[in-house]
Amino acid sequence: MGRAWAVALLLVAGISFSCASRVPEEQLLLRETTTGRTSSAAGLGQRGSNGAALPVVLWHGMGDSCCSMGSMGSIKQLIEDKLGVFVHSIATGVGEYQDVWSSFYGNVNQQVGKVCGELASMEELKGGFNMVGFSQGGQFLRAVVQRCGRRLPPVHSLITLGGQHQGVANTPGCSVDLTGAAAKACTAMQLLLARGAYAPWVRENIVQAQYFKDPLQIDSYLRYNIFMPDINNERDDKNAAYADNLASLQRLVLFRFDEDTTVVPRDSAWFSFWDGAETVIPLKDQPLYKEDWLGLRRLDEAGGLIFESAPGEHMQFTLKWFEEKVVDAYLA
């Protein structure tokens, strides 16, 4: 696929890009939902040495921005009001326009590197902190933990909601709730992935291509994908520091949405993935766990790897659910 064609498609997507008319793809639905199960670790919130709750870092998902009061801004305010702690919501672009755009178009390795530097320099985080990743923000925060290592203050808990830890085998869907130019941007992303997720320009510039994993083309995935094979330690040259850094967490909490059709397969949120046919292989049956490529087995044996379920479709939850199942259970 030619670079000129790809750039033209992005220009069409970007015409009159106005976040003011946008409803984020991963919006908060302000309705009552059936609550998911609670693990045995619920209620064991983590606190600093002075007994206070720890600061929190958030990374939003596709089609969203750091601070919109229709989504991440409301979550940030909820945590601040409930716990009285410092909350940093990550932005990978300057202003809402660029922040939303960068959730579709950009280089994830560069974004992760930038975030590492920001978090390492924040005085408010010096005593340690917790992190919550929403959808693709989940695996991006995991990359921060694995790659930043000793550069960061202690990261106690990483909580991911609907993350794509084993990638996606199909292009992420554009929600019917996504409108205007954001919907155009998402559609352009889908067309580019359909024309070749591992094509040079696409794999370097389309965020979702950087965690696209075709189970029928694993060799191409391992050779050409610039992000996911590295952070999952899937190549022959394993990075031992990745496993040590992730195993140093006190807790890794993985929420999967029970009716998720955006993440294919949905159990990628639990590190599960297809075996190349139609069978989804659970994490504990994979070499990734058995040979402990990422430190997940060590974390599990220490009681720090927690699998949770959330009701409904991808990222469709209420503030009340988030308060009970995430804030109260794992941050308070």
Side-chain angles (χ1 to χ4, degrees), residues 38 41 58 61-62 64 79 85 138 141 189 212 263 278 320 323:
T38 302
L58 312 173
M62 181 182 81
D64 207 348
I79 298 171
V85 299
L141 281 180
M189 172 272 292
F212 182 83
V263 176
E278 297 181 356
K320 180 180 179 181
E323 180 178 5

Side-chain angles (χ1 to χ4, degrees), residues 9 11 76 92 115 124 160 180 237-238 258 267 271 278 294 305 327:
L9 184 57
L11 287 174
K76 180 177 183 292
T92 50
V115 169
E124 297 90 342
T160 70
D237 52 336
K238 304 286 190 260
D258 292 336
D267 285 2
F271 277 95
E278 297 181 356
L294 290 179
L305 182 61
V327 179

